[in-house]
Amino acid sequence: MNTPRPSAQDVYDRLRELILSFELYPGSRVTESALAERFGVSRTPVREALQRLASEGHVTVLPKQGVLIRQLDAAELAQHYRVRVVLELAVLADVCANASDADLRALAADWDPQTQPGRSDDFAVMAARDETFHRRLAELGGNRVMAQLLEQVGHHIRAVRRLDFTLNDRVERTYEEHHAIAQCLLARDLRGARRLLRRHIENSRRVASAVSLEQLRRVRAAALGEPG
Amino acid sequence: MNTPRPSAQDVYDRLRELILSFELYPGSRVTESALAERFGVSRTPVREALQRLASEGHVTVLPKQGVLIRQLDAAELAQHYRVRVVLELAVLADVCANASDADLRALAADWDPQTQPGRSDDFAVMAARDETFHRRLAELGGNRVMAQLLEQVGHHIRAVRRLDFTLNDRVERTYEEHHAIAQCLLARDLRGARRLLRRHIENSRRVASAVSLEQLRRVRAAALGEPG
DNA sequence: GACCCTCCTGTTGCATGCAACGATGTACGC
DNA sequence: GCGTACATCGTTGCATGCAACAGGAGGGTC
């Protein structure tokens, strides 16, 4: 068997996934040693991964005390969403000004509500695909700094984004909305694109503000097959 | 003498300052060992600091090769400024909606062009004071996430911001502009505040886009008392 | 003369050991 | 019974040692 020792990057990826899927429950405390043993590495790469996660706001390191999986409270989520809206609306202007017709056509085709390419029933997969749309927009905008900041914001709202897709017909709506936005951009209709995108994100945000930690717990319990 | 061993946080602060003041020259390569020796610590806290700096875009770690001090090119600076404008304009709306009259009056008084409290001839001091204004705005806006992102952007443009204040009468203008913005906010004149702030930042940005790396080098040489 | 192969050096990546610090439980004084 | 001093334990923070890998110099071959 070929099981190479996990690197710090691997530890980071797996840890983040554990947090986003609520297997490491928000509010619970973990120790570097425990994680090191769990992943079969020493504390060093674990520390490195935890520091990254801390800078991204997923965990809080209490000096000399331990590491706390962060709660995600509704107020903070709302702030992230507001930042996201502000940044993405700015991106739209750049896209309108800079992106080529070919790129925008490709983007629109990739979210054609008729064919629905890449559609999946896995929430995590669809959430990831949703992210690629917004990431692509940032890329087409051409402002790498803004793209990276959006990436950062994305880390924080990823958990909620997944929940978003658990709602009925949210997948269809996403194809429609993304498609419509791409069409507006292709027509260089900035105002229209802004209106659509604002509403599109607002739809997600509304879900975010509705989810309480209690709901998250239930979702987690269901995912793990445990009684709620 | 009380000279406690520097912590990873200290190393981070000092390293960032070295980079921002161009004592670690952009494009040059440094090694963990060299920095560790320089700061009188082991490689561990240096690594930690470098990873943070890398995530913030100040350095680039080449795997198994070394650490590269990042160039700051004009294009990227422009992107940072654009992000800053977008975020700060959003902050203004929050301030108009949330901040109290008392806080805004205090802010205006703190930048009264008549008395010019806290005025200094040291560029770095004035740049820091300028930052406090914008930081205070973000605080009054109440969106901590946005404030933190602005803080991040601030790190990247800090070097240029300092250069900004080396220009003649830029200090006077800053007092005037900050005061006017605070007055607009106090009058809950969002549009006016937006216009002023946009122009205020644009003034700085113009400087930023003008400075070439060559100029930065000269400034650095002068600051260090070396021949250009 | 050009190219390739090999060895060597420099650097990072990770493991491990030690010290410092916070928290908790306990015995003691009142 | 209640509050306080103290010892113990758990955890992080840092130092150090070792291994793996990239790059370059040198010699050999075609």
Side-chain angles (χ1 to χ4, degrees), chain B residues 140-154:
Chain B
L140 290 177
N143 189 325
R144 287 172 162 277
V145 172
M146 215 176 282
Q148 198 190 327
L149 255 53
L150 273 170
E151 197 70 31
Q152 226 174 295
V153 174

Side-chain angles (χ1 to χ4, degrees), chain B residues 78-134:
Chain B
Q79 295 186 352
H80 277 109
Y81 266 95
R82 171 145 170 71
V83 170
R84 186 182 159 205
V85 170
V86 167
L87 287 179
E88 291 220 22
L89 288 181
V91 163
L92 284 187
D94 293 348
V95 173
C96 256
N98 302 333
S100 73
D101 283 7
D103 284 337
L104 289 174
R105 259 193 294 270
L107 187 64
D110 196 38
W111 289 91
D112 190 331
Q114 307 299 324
T115 62
Q116 298 198 358
R119 164 154 195 174
S120 165
D121 287 332
D122 186 334
F123 307 140
V125 170
M126 279 312 294
R129 186 160 158 68
D130 175 63
E131 282 194 56
T132 65
F133 174 79
H134 295 278

Side-chain angles (χ1 to χ4, degrees), chain B residues 5 7-8 41-42 44-45 64-65:
Chain B
R5 188 179 319 178
S7 70
V41 295
S42 83
T44 306
K64 305 275 187 191
Q65 244 174 302

Side-chain angles (χ1 to χ4, degrees), chain B residues 164-200:
Chain B
D164 188 11
F165 281 99
T166 64
L167 298 184
N168 42 357
D169 89 337
R170 196 75 192 81
V171 175
E172 267 81 11
R173 295 283 294 275
T174 298
Y175 273 93
E176 292 168 9
E177 292 170 3
H178 285 182
H179 187 70
I181 290 170
Q183 293 291 358
C184 271
L185 290 172
L186 189 53
R188 310 295 164 176
D189 173 13
L190 179 55
R191 296 194 51 161
R194 284 177 64 98
R195 199 181 61 244
L196 288 173
L197 183 65
R198 187 187 286 275
R199 202 161 55 194
H200 172 60

